Amino acid sequence: FKDVTSTYLTNADFEGEYSVYSNPSKDRAIYQPTGWNVEYTNGKEWDMTILKSSDLAANSFSSKPPVLSAGGSQTYKVRFNNSYKDQKLGLYQTVTLPRGNYKVTIDYYKGGSGGDAYLVVNSTTQNSGTNDSWTTVSISFESDGSSSTKIGCRADHTNTYEKFYAFDNFKLEWNLTQSLASLITSAEEVYNEDTSNTALKDAIDEAKTHQSSIDADELETAYDDLSAAASLSLKRKAWKTAKMDAETTIADGKYANVTGEEKTALQAEIDKAE
């Protein structure tokens, strides 16, 4: 695994700046950390969040949650009062990741009855059965390299009991071993469609020599090299298809007597070397 948190996530440890997203009442706030989007539904007047002890109504948290040793000076904490239910509060970032396999991890806390907290990646959620102590949870997922990925956390309040939540230390890791294995498989599929592509075959064979490495830099280099070769091969395949279509068109008897700059230009493109 390679830690790519700082490359793709902003303010993943909540140690950065933050601002007021809304004030459920004048003495408390729903805060928005820099880099994070807030999704807050069915909010009630006693809902509140803090990140440090100087925030509005921070004394309402008392000793919940307990201090997280690796949490830095700021932790995103949520409190739902026992007078209401059915609120949801989430923090999210949407990122576009290179093709590959990833794992996202957070530290989270839940205390009290009625509701749960979740790590969220797109439509996948993960929680734990642990109450009143910090827990680390993770989700493994795959990116196709073009679709966006929504990463975040969510606190749900489901009945009229007081509930505390806290989130900290998002970590995003690239599973290089699994990503390289997946890329080799897809590159072999491309090669099997055109076995004359010796450059791609050489790149696949070279990548396979690094598959068992435990060195992240070596794995990343192997991944990047094979990814470049596979991308070039896909462009080669598209070019060959376009050339065949052009050759078929220009040989069509219907156009035997057609002349002009367009036909000349098309023939010139067909005659170009690969």
Side-chain angles (χ1 to χ4, degrees):
F1 285 91
K2 179 180 180 180
D3 189 339
V4 292
T5 308
S6 61
T7 304
Y8 298 106
L9 295 180
T10 301
N11 194 16
D13 57 3
F14 300 123
E15 294 299 302
E17 298 294 320
Y18 57 97
S19 58
V20 173
Y21 174 79
S22 68
N23 292 104
S25 56
K26 63 181 182 180
D27 66 338
R28 61 197 61 217
I30 301 299
Y31 289 105
Q32 180 172 14
T34 298
W36 294 90
N37 296 314
V38 175
E39 293 184 6
Y40 179 42
T41 58
N42 202 28
K44 298 296 189 295
E45 60 182 307
W46 298 111
D47 299 345
M48 62 176 296
T49 67
I50 65 168
L51 285 100
K52 57 186 178 183
S53 60
S54 58
D55 291 337
L56 291 172
N59 59 348
S60 298
F61 281 82
S62 184
S63 60
K64 292 186 177 183
V67 174
L68 177 63
S69 59
S73 61
Q74 295 180 180
T75 297
Y76 196 82
K77 303 177 183 180
V78 182
R79 178 175 179 253
F80 293 128
N81 190 268
N82 57 11
S83 301
Y84 302 102
K85 65 177 181 177
D86 298 328
Q87 304 98 301
K88 292 183 186 295
L89 175 60
L91 299 175
Y92 299 97
Q93 294 187 31
T94 301
V95 297
T96 301
L97 301 170
R99 178 180 177 180
N101 301 84
Y102 296 86
K103 181 174 74 171
V104 63
T105 304
I106 60 166
D107 294 317
Y108 93 132
Y109 169 91
K110 58 183 179 183
S113 301
D116 214 329
Y118 302 90
L119 170 63
V120 181
V121 176
N122 294 326
S123 60
T124 302
T125 60
Q126 183 62 51
N127 60 356
S128 80
T130 302
N131 228 29
D132 295 318
S133 65
W134 282 96
T135 308
T136 300
V137 295
S138 63
I139 294 175
S140 296
F141 65 98
E142 187 173 356
S143 170
D144 62 10
S146 57
S147 301
S148 60
T149 300
K150 184 178 181 179
I151 296 173
C153 56
R154 191 181 80 233
D156 293 357
H157 190 213
T158 57
N159 63 37
T160 54
Y161 290 96
E162 186 174 56
K163 192 74 178 180
F164 293 87
Y165 300 102
F167 305 95
D168 212 342
N169 301 326
F170 273 83
K171 185 177 183 180
L172 178 64
E173 296 175 285
W174 183 13
N175 188 336
L176 286 160
T177 300
Q178 192 172 350
S179 295
L180 181 59
S182 297
L183 182 59
I184 289 172
T185 297
S186 60
E188 287 177 330
E189 292 172 356
V190 174
Y191 172 72
N192 289 336
E193 294 179 2
D194 179 11
T195 55
S196 67
N197 191 347
T198 56
L200 180 58
K201 181 62 165 62
D202 291 343
I204 293 170
D205 290 342
E206 176 63 23
K208 286 182 176 179
T209 67
H210 301 282
Q211 266 190 288
S212 60
S213 175
I214 58 173
D215 184 290
D217 291 337
E218 180 181 347
L219 286 167
E220 185 173 9
T221 298
Y223 181 92
D224 289 343
D225 289 348
L226 181 54
S227 181
S231 177
L232 185 62
S233 296
L234 290 172
K235 292 177 182 178
R236 179 178 187 252
K237 178 182 177 181
W239 174 83
K240 290 177 73 174
T241 299
K243 182 177 180 181
M244 289 176 62
D245 289 344
E247 288 172 334
T248 300
T249 300
I250 210 165
D252 193 321
K254 293 186 296 183
Y255 309 126
N257 296 321
V258 175
T259 60
E261 293 181 0
E262 291 83 359
K263 186 174 183 178
T264 301
L266 181 58
Q267 186 63 59
E269 288 299 314
I270 291 172
D271 293 340
K272 284 183 178 179
E274 183 178 333

